[in-house]
Amino acid sequence: MSGTKLAASQPPIPRISLTWLLVAQALVIVPHIGHLPLWVLALWLFCAGWRVQIFRMRAGYPNAWAKAGLMLAAGAGVLLSRGSLIGLDAGVVLLIAAFVLKLVELRTQRDALVLIFLGFFCVVTAYLFDDSLTAAAFSALPISALLAALIGLQQSHLAMRPWPTLRLALVMLAQALPLMLLLFVFFPRLAPLWSLPNPGNQARTGLSDSMTPADIAELSKSAELVFRATFDGPLPERNQLYWRALTFEQFDGRRWSQAPVGQLLAPPTWSKNGSPLTYSIIMQPSGQNWLFALDVAQSNAADIQHMSDFSLQRKLPVEQTLQYAVNSWPTALRAPAALSASLAHDLQLPASGDPRSRAWAAELRAQYPSNAALVQQVLTHFNREPFGYTLKPPPVGVNSIDEFLFRTRRGFCAHYAGAMTFVLRAAGIPARVVAGYQGGELNPAGRFLTVRQFDAHAWVEYWQAGQGWISVDPTFQVAPERIEQGLEQALSAEQSFLADSPLSLLRYRNIGWLNTVRQGWDNLNYGWQRWVLGYQTEQQLRFLQRWFGRMDSQLLLLALVGGGGLLLGVLTLFLFKPWRREQDPRLRQFLRFQGLLARHGVQRLPAEGPRAFALRAAAELPAQSAAIQHFAAAFEAQQYALSHPDPLALRRALATLRRALPWRFSRG
């Protein structure tokens, strides 16, 4: 049978189904707008308009040449906008384009089914770019519209009624929720068979593997979320919240960068001291390997490595929201007996440049033979001299350290950390710059800390024999309010906090009710990340063991099968309602009519027909006579096939009668 004959043999697509398909396509595309090229949106408007004109018989279906041309144009558009047809980002754009193009060739219900199932798949791909609570809640809209389109395809009494179609779709979605929850709780968390890289065009902000002072200052203009942390016990003081990410040990005169990876792979040498801090972190995707933790951190996760510089790194980049548990010992001794060879790269300086800083370091070394005394003198210098803290430092020339220390004296944390590390190295003290974040905002409702990009910070570590690595923060000497209160207070004089984001709610934390709403929403998102996105293998086992004791694969399978069978049984009973005495929907409505009148004192007599009963009831209840006779007439028309069956008409007539009867007697 040819394609034309096959299409003619299948029923056409009802108008309601086509309407819901157009609505569903728009809702499916909305979450992708941020990463779709504009030509895809223009393509959808073109295809939707063409399909409407086809339905109105003002345009024809595309022929084979037109379809081939549209496909080639879409492929060329993906290639030009993404640089490739291979990869996650390009694949999603190509999928959305195919989803749009399929619209213009819809002829039969089979074509519509293909489009609907393709739409469900497109909804899932949106989670690759955004897995937030808002995105999850929004996805219910395109799913409902796709279900409504699927229902509208069926030749039933709903085929010409849009809102009952949507209502049935919502009911079906609600009926599926218990089974979805069961699968979520009990279905084993399996490791993926492959890893999907982060979409190439998705913007990333955050720390990088090298740093200039301007980089950290740029981060401080962003309110983007970096991670959230929850402590098992009391929260540390704010001035102890130094979240290490990575260390910079190489300096070329302008930029600090990490040491080669090979130097960092050796396990760190340190000894625990005091009680540990126990906490968990939910980290946003960064596209980088390093994690965030307080010193000295230890994690038992199999894919987390402990680097020789006391940082934590993951074997694979963090491409999706990641939850991990950490123990930290703030008073631990770090490499107190390090070998000179291992400290050599922490004394590295460019062969030339910044002569005044080198001369000052030589003077300090001559005056202070003790490393601790020399370090303290540098900190005192920053504290007593007229240094300033600003996001808008004056520009510096080739000798950046000299110009900052002796001319501009205004800068951000990276200026102070870099300058101090340079001076200490010039004085013969092993030192390095540590980059990460400092502080965090406490959410009172959820008792967790929220760390954002504007909390980015840099500080200094220097090595002392017998004491190991010691952390100092020169920024504290210049702007102690940055460490004790936060960036907003430190920049209050120049009013540059989030100056490029006037609509950010973080700028209005002084407005009580607005801040409460913001923190409440933040708490909801944190719960979503912690209990839904973070519900992975370890969390699942802990949860099930807490509720069911010992849990292995056999018990998990039994719980899944047993719970699923029970839920399906309950849903089956709910749908078929075998306890109802009457299966005929028309007679069921008449029995409700009879029971309603009985509660108002009008009992149906034995062998009394529907019309006679209605006439007698109308005589006994004259105020409701019209409503009674209207229901009786509708029932006769339905029961004796005087019109097309319409159970909803009987239901509406019964509802009209119920409203007309005195409310104090009615229980229906």
Side-chain angles (χ1 to χ4, degrees):
M1 182 181 293
S2 66
T4 304
K5 291 182 179 179
L6 180 62
S9 66
Q10 296 190 14
I13 301 171
R15 177 174 61 86
I16 291 301
S17 183
L18 180 60
T19 301
W20 282 119
L21 276 174
L22 292 172
V23 172
Q25 274 204 329
L27 293 173
V28 167
I29 292 173
V30 165
H32 294 275
I33 287 179
H35 54 267
L36 282 180
L38 292 178
W39 64 263
V40 177
L41 304 181
L43 180 65
W44 179 76
L45 292 174
F46 171 74
C47 292
W50 191 351
R51 189 62 186 81
V52 171
Q53 292 301 99
I54 292 175
F55 183 80
R56 299 175 66 187
M57 299 186 193
R58 295 184 179 180
Y61 289 97
N63 57 30
W65 288 104
K67 289 190 287 187
L70 287 172
M71 291 173 58
L72 290 175
V78 175
L79 186 61
L80 291 175
S81 59
R82 293 297 179 262
S84 173
L85 294 177
I86 301 174
L88 176 61
D89 194 22
V92 170
V93 176
L94 201 59
L95 177 67
I96 298 295
F99 180 55
V100 168
L101 290 176
K102 184 65 179 175
L103 186 64
V104 297
E105 68 166 1
L106 289 181
R107 291 176 179 267
T108 65
Q109 289 190 6
R110 185 181 65 178
D111 295 331
L113 286 174
V114 171
L115 184 63
I116 290 171
F117 295 145
L118 192 61
F120 284 123
F121 193 73
C122 290
V123 171
V124 174
T125 61
Y127 288 107
L128 298 173
F129 299 86
D130 186 3
D131 55 8
S132 65
L133 176 60
T134 304
F138 181 85
S139 65
L141 297 180
I143 290 174
S144 300
L146 289 167
L147 285 175
L150 186 61
I151 295 169
L153 285 177
Q154 314 307 315
Q155 297 298 321
S156 67
H157 64 280
L158 297 177
M160 299 302 295
R161 306 178 63 188
W163 300 119
T165 303
L166 178 61
R167 185 164 55 245
L168 180 57
L170 294 175
V171 170
M172 294 174 63
L173 193 61
Q175 291 171 348
L177 283 178
L179 187 58
M180 180 196 73
L181 292 175
L182 178 77
L183 292 173
F184 174 80
V185 172
F186 289 101
F187 196 83
R189 273 5 187 213
L190 302 177
L193 299 179
W194 60 86
S195 177
L196 293 176
N198 182 63
N201 74 321
Q202 189 173 5
R204 289 289 190 208
T205 61
L207 299 171
S208 63
D209 56 3
S210 63
M211 178 198 76
T212 64
D215 296 335
I216 298 289
E218 192 65 28
L219 285 181
S220 296
K221 300 177 183 179
S222 170
E224 183 181 359
L225 176 66
V226 181
F227 64 90
R228 296 184 177 98
T230 301
F231 287 82
D232 290 352
L235 271 68
E237 296 295 329
R238 183 182 177 88
N239 58 13
Q240 299 176 9
L241 295 174
Y242 283 83
W243 304 96
R244 177 190 291 266
L246 63 165
T247 57
F248 298 129
E249 298 181 291
Q250 293 183 335
F251 184 57
D252 62 4
R254 301 290 296 182
R255 177 175 292 274
W256 291 90
S257 57
Q258 280 189 296
V261 176
Q263 296 180 12
L264 301 176
L265 291 178
T269 57
W270 61 287
S271 57
K272 299 176 182 178
N273 183 31
S275 301
L277 297 172
T278 302
Y279 55 99
S280 64
I281 287 179
I282 298 180
M283 177 181 169
Q284 296 302 111
S286 66
Q288 307 291 353
N289 295 70
W290 51 78
L291 307 179
F292 309 106
L294 303 174
D295 283 328
V296 170
Q298 187 177 60
S299 176
N300 294 325
D303 60 341
I304 295 180
Q305 297 173 294
H306 302 79
M307 313 304 287
S308 61
D309 63 348
F310 305 102
S311 64
L312 298 181
Q313 289 198 16
R314 196 164 177 257
K315 295 179 180 178
L316 295 175
V318 181
E319 303 289 1
Q320 296 178 340
T321 303
L322 175 67
Q323 181 173 0
Y324 56 97
V326 186
N327 290 325
S328 290
W329 284 264
T331 58
L333 290 176
R334 296 177 288 166
L339 299 177
S340 299
S342 66
L343 298 173
H345 53 275
D346 294 308
L347 291 168
Q348 172 267 330
L349 287 176
S352 61
D354 299 297
R356 294 186 64 185
S357 299
R358 295 174 191 261
W360 183 46
E363 293 176 9
L364 290 173
R365 175 50 74 192
Q367 296 177 21
Y368 302 97
S370 167
N371 288 350
L374 191 151
V375 169
Q376 185 58 48
Q377 181 57 31
V378 175
L379 295 174
T380 302
H381 178 78
F382 284 130
N383 180 262
R384 293 180 178 177
E385 296 297 319
F387 285 90
Y389 184 83
T390 178
L391 281 179
K392 304 173 182 178
V396 294
V398 176
N399 295 313
S400 58
I401 303 296
D402 279 359
E403 294 203 26
F404 169 68
L405 286 176
F406 303 107
R407 183 178 66 84
T408 66
R409 295 193 172 190
R410 293 178 58 78
F412 198 57
C413 62
H415 292 86
Y416 293 98
M420 183 172 182
T421 302
F422 184 96
V423 171
L424 294 184
R425 288 186 175 189
I429 301 176
R432 59 195 182 189
V433 177
V434 184
Y437 297 85
Q438 199 284 322
E441 181 188 25
L442 174 64
N443 188 297
R447 295 290 299 169
F448 60 88
L449 289 172
T450 301
V451 177
R452 303 183 182 275
Q453 292 294 357
F454 59 68
D455 293 312
H457 194 58
W459 60 98
V460 178
E461 282 183 344
Y462 73 96
W463 187 83
Q464 178 74 26
Q467 299 181 36
W469 288 101
I470 301 173
S471 298
V472 291
D473 190 353
T475 303
F476 181 79
Q477 305 300 321
V478 181
E481 61 274 11
R482 163 63 185 92
I483 309 305
E484 295 176 342
Q485 300 178 51
L487 182 67
E488 184 176 7
Q489 286 70 27
L491 299 174
S492 58
E494 65 180 37
Q495 296 183 347
S496 58
F497 178 70
L498 297 181
D500 298 336
S501 305
L503 299 180
S504 174
L505 293 180
L506 289 162
R507 296 191 62 188
Y508 309 102
R509 286 187 282 192
N510 58 323
I511 303 176
W513 69 269
L514 193 59
N515 193 51
T516 301
V517 171
R518 180 186 63 83
Q519 289 190 327
W521 177 247
D522 197 38
N523 191 28
L524 284 176
N525 278 283
Y526 174 67
W528 169 259
Q529 287 191 324
R530 186 177 185 183
W531 301 112
V532 178
L533 301 182
Y535 190 73
Q536 300 303 322
T537 303
E538 294 181 4
Q539 291 82 353
Q540 183 185 43
L541 288 177
R542 285 200 300 267
F543 174 79
L544 295 177
Q545 288 173 357
R546 185 165 62 247
W547 283 94
F548 303 103
R550 184 181 65 87
M551 181 62 64
D552 54 26
S553 57
Q554 293 182 347
L555 290 175
L556 195 61
L557 179 63
L558 182 62
L560 187 62
V561 174
L566 180 62
L567 270 178
L568 290 176
V570 171
L571 286 175
T572 301
L573 290 175
F574 176 78
L575 290 174
F576 291 99
K577 299 179 177 65
W579 59 85
R580 286 181 169 172
R581 292 174 297 173
E582 183 54 63
Q583 299 300 317
D584 190 322
R586 295 180 293 272
L587 291 179
R588 221 168 27 239
Q589 296 299 329
F590 184 79
L591 290 176
R592 290 173 180 168
F593 167 74
Q594 180 180 317
L596 182 61
L597 292 179
R599 288 195 292 274
H600 287 77
V602 184
Q603 296 282 350
R604 184 184 177 192
L605 301 177
E608 188 175 25
R611 181 178 297 181
F613 174 53
L615 291 173
R616 183 167 62 83
E620 295 189 24
L621 300 171
Q624 292 79 34
S625 174
I628 293 173
Q629 295 192 41
H630 173 68
F631 177 85
F635 174 73
E636 287 186 346
Q638 295 280 327
Q639 185 68 9
Y640 301 111
L642 298 179
S643 65
H644 294 292
D646 187 5
L648 290 178
L650 281 181
R651 189 177 301 172
R652 288 193 297 269
L654 186 63
T656 301
L657 174 59
R658 183 178 286 109
R659 289 191 297 268
L661 289 167
W663 66 269
R664 61 181 181 274
F665 296 111
S666 175
R667 301 179 185 274

